[in-house]
Amino acid sequence: MLRDAIYIDGKVVRQVEGSDDWQLLDSPYVYRTVRVINGHIERPAEELQDLCGGFHALFERTPDLTAKQLDEAVVTTLTRNHYINRAANAEVRLHNRGGQWAMVIVPGALLDGERYDSAVIRPSGRTLNCELPYPEHFTSLLKHTLALHKKGQREMTLLRHNGDIVSCEGFPIYGVLQDVIYSYTPWSSVESRRAEALFARSGREVVAGTLNEKNAEQPEEIFVFTTNSLVSLAHLDGRPLVPFTAYSLGRTLQRM
């Protein structure tokens, strides 16, 4: 049995044990956690672009899915779980089943409000010293690796690629050194595009940078753009970090 009703390949169900759907859930997939605001996915076309781009990169196929179909499936799933007229998250997965794609939608948490804002709590960050394939996409391998690494801890996990830290659990990561904002994530996503809009609104220039232990100077501040909020890290591998730029950006977010 399932606690929540989930969407599996065209239908919303509460029980999958003993059915063919169970094998589907165990197949590899790419995923995105989407925000549902005012009864619809926020930025549906962008979410679809990132989802299908990830699926094509891993499985060399492009799902014939439209933004409207994606939105309708997510809203139907949340409605069946009584998330009516509530801001919420939903995890959308595109599974690879025998060379064909199939969509799974799992309802997520209700949100405190509709605004994308700064997180109140500043978590610590810890570097994971292993490199995963396709770091620019949210994959089932990433999810399982994070679950094993975190083991219920609240620390956020920073991921490497070719020796450099390039993301925080798949989300874009930024650092500040001597009042310059550096972008350490070399790919575009819904979250990075949101960050770029905020930087432009704030009048802050951002330059590409690299983050690793060989840097002569380490950033004084590190923050992450997640699905729902701008998160400023309190520590990285035990080293204290400041929150000043993130707080300033947070004030701009409140005016957007």
Side-chain angles (χ1 to χ4, degrees):
M1 292 292 293
L2 297 165
R3 183 187 64 181
D4 297 318
I6 68 173
Y7 179 101
I8 300 182
D9 199 19
K11 57 184 181 293
V12 180
V13 300
R14 287 188 180 274
Q15 182 172 344
V16 294
E17 289 89 338
S19 70
D20 292 338
D21 295 327
W22 190 254
Q23 292 181 338
L24 169 62
L25 294 179
D26 202 35
S27 62
Y29 58 86
V30 297
Y31 70 95
R32 290 275 313 164
T33 302
V34 302
R35 287 165 50 85
V36 178
I37 308 296
N38 294 324
H40 293 283
I41 296 176
E42 188 179 53
R43 305 186 179 207
E46 292 184 54
E47 295 288 2
L48 179 67
Q49 174 185 321
D50 287 1
L51 268 172
C52 291
F55 192 89
H56 185 271
L58 269 69
F59 308 119
E60 299 183 342
R61 286 177 173 78
T62 301
D64 53 342
L65 178 67
T66 68
K68 181 180 179 181
Q69 290 169 334
L70 174 63
D71 183 63
E72 289 176 347
V74 168
V75 172
T76 296
T77 305
L78 294 185
T79 301
R80 285 285 298 273
N81 285 279
H82 309 293
Y83 289 20
I84 301 172
N85 299 322
R86 301 288 299 277
N89 286 149
E91 182 178 280
V92 182
R93 307 174 186 172
L94 294 182
H95 285 252
N96 180 36
R97 180 172 61 180
Q100 302 297 320
W101 70 276
M103 184 162 61
V104 171
I105 301 170
V106 180
L110 290 170
L111 305 179
D112 291 336
E114 297 179 354
R115 179 184 296 276
Y116 188 96
D117 213 340
S118 296
V120 175
I121 297 175
R122 296 182 63 216
S124 293
R126 184 164 49 133
T127 304
L128 175 60
N129 291 312
C130 89
E131 300 201 11
L132 301 176
Y134 304 103
E136 67 273 30
H137 301 297
F138 291 90
T139 66
S140 47
L141 177 59
L142 169 63
K143 175 175 285 190
H144 297 326
T145 301
L146 290 174
L148 289 171
H149 179 65
K150 293 167 75 77
K151 295 179 180 178
Q153 299 182 24
R154 294 187 178 182
E155 289 182 320
M156 298 192 76
T157 302
L158 281 71
L159 303 170
R160 293 184 184 275
H161 185 62
N162 295 331
D164 295 329
I165 295 173
V166 294
S167 79
C168 183
E169 303 183 6
F171 295 111
I173 186 169
Y174 301 85
V176 181
L177 180 61
Q178 297 179 1
D179 204 37
V180 177
I181 300 178
Y182 292 90
S183 169
Y184 300 128
T185 305
W187 58 79
S188 178
S189 65
V190 173
E191 292 78 21
S192 70
R193 293 187 287 273
R194 186 189 296 275
E196 290 164 5
L198 175 59
F199 297 145
R201 180 71 176 268
S202 304
R204 298 296 301 264
E205 186 176 352
V206 182
V207 297
T210 57
L211 178 59
N212 58 53
E213 64 276 2
K214 297 178 182 179
N215 290 12
E217 293 183 283
Q218 295 293 319
E220 305 143 356
E221 181 174 357
I222 293 176
F223 51 87
V224 184
F225 280 78
T226 69
T227 301
N228 295 313
S229 59
L230 164 60
V231 179
S232 172
L233 298 185
H235 302 85
L236 175 57
D237 296 329
R239 182 173 65 87
L241 299 166
V242 299
F244 305 131
T245 303
Y247 283 168
S248 175
L249 292 171
R251 289 195 293 271
T252 303
L253 271 175
Q254 293 176 356
R255 298 193 295 270
M256 290 178 67

